[in-house]
Amino acid sequence: MEQGRRMPGRDFVERAEEATGGTGAPRRSAPRPSRRAGPASRFRPWARPEAQAVTLWTYQCRVVPGLLRTERCARAATGSVPPGKDEEQVTEQVTARLERHRLFGRRPPVTFGLIVEQALLERGTGGPDVTRELLDSLLERSSQFSVELQIMPRHRPDRAGFDGPSVLPEPPDNKWSGHAEGQRGGMPIPAPKEVGILLQRYAGLRSQALASDDSRGPRKRLRGAP
């Protein structure tokens, strides 16, 4: 609580009131602290590299990238992962995720490369309506000149991404870094040799995925468009 990570509950306030001699200060102060929307703790080390990136390459085989989720998709994904969360916690995390969408409107523009496994779009997170909304958003997003969105087909026996998802930001000084995310946290990858391996793998994934224009076809078919 002293570090602002947890908000004081009613019982804590009453005990603090008793411990401090009944001055009334804890009760008067209790309404002031409040939760603020922000990134989950496991994402915070990654927030700055992402925000400063001039180029951002992402490969995702586990879940639709946060930068591409609609509000309803983000809410469905956030609320379905244990441990359980109350409405306030879900709203905090969803709000923080949507704030990241500002990168798409930044000037000068960020150059995005996003490779998403087709199976993630077929999963139906949140139900049919949420999925259709997501697919519409992806079609619109991929029409931006600075966004290259590629779909990795389900039937692709050889692929460079078997070791899992990765993100590669290029900062203004052009010194690439990497980021890999797991179940309970992300891992920054600053070592040049390791970053070089991730860049090599991303290059392989780009050649194995459908081209950006061809990738619109599967999204339209899943959406139900002719």
Side-chain angles (χ1 to χ4, degrees), residues 4-9 30-40 44 71 74-75 78-79 83-97:
R5 295 178 181 174
R6 294 178 57 196
M7 299 300 108
R32 296 180 184 177
S34 60
R35 294 184 180 272
R36 295 184 179 180
R44 287 170 192 152
E71 180 177 358
R75 187 171 292 276
T78 300
K85 307 171 188 67
D86 59 29
E87 182 64 23
E88 182 182 6
Q89 291 172 312
V90 171
T91 298
E92 281 181 9
Q93 293 187 26
V94 170
T95 300
R97 193 174 297 281

Side-chain angles (χ1 to χ4, degrees), residues 132 135-136 217-226:
R132 280 192 291 270
L135 293 169
D136 285 343
R219 282 173 281 157
K220 288 182 177 181
R221 287 194 295 273
L222 288 169
R223 172 64 179 82

Side-chain angles (χ1 to χ4, degrees), residues 104-151:
F104 287 107
R106 206 179 73 185
R107 293 290 181 271
V110 180
T111 300
F112 293 92
L114 302 125
I115 301 174
V116 180
E117 294 281 345
Q118 182 176 337
L120 302 183
L121 307 181
E122 297 173 340
R123 184 175 293 161
T125 301
D129 290 343
V130 174
T131 298
R132 280 192 291 270
E133 181 183 71
L134 171 66
L135 293 169
D136 285 343
S137 176
L138 294 180
L139 288 166
E140 180 179 356
R141 186 70 73 191
S142 63
S143 67
Q144 291 184 231
F145 76 94
S146 61
V147 178
E148 181 184 52
L149 176 56
Q150 295 179 258
I151 301 300

Side-chain angles (χ1 to χ4, degrees), residues 168-217:
L168 288 151
E170 180 191 16
D173 63 5
N174 308 119
K175 294 180 180 179
W176 290 80
S177 63
H179 184 83
E181 191 162 320
Q183 279 280 342
R184 293 292 294 156
M187 180 179 68
I189 304 175
K193 181 177 180 180
E194 298 301 319
V195 173
I197 291 173
L198 291 182
L199 288 168
Q200 182 181 2
R201 290 178 179 178
Y202 191 84
L205 288 164
R206 291 182 73 174
S207 68
Q208 294 162 352
L210 297 175
S212 184
D213 288 344
D214 295 337
S215 293
R216 296 177 69 85

Side-chain angles (χ1 to χ4, degrees), residues 24-61:
R27 290 196 185 101
R28 289 194 298 271
S29 301
R32 296 180 184 177
S34 60
R35 294 184 180 272
R36 295 184 179 180
S41 59
R42 63 188 177 86
F43 176 76
R44 287 170 192 152
W46 164 243
R48 186 171 182 178
E50 182 187 76
Q52 295 178 339
V54 295
T55 303
L56 194 61
W57 287 350
T58 300
Y59 166 64
Q60 185 54 262
C61 57

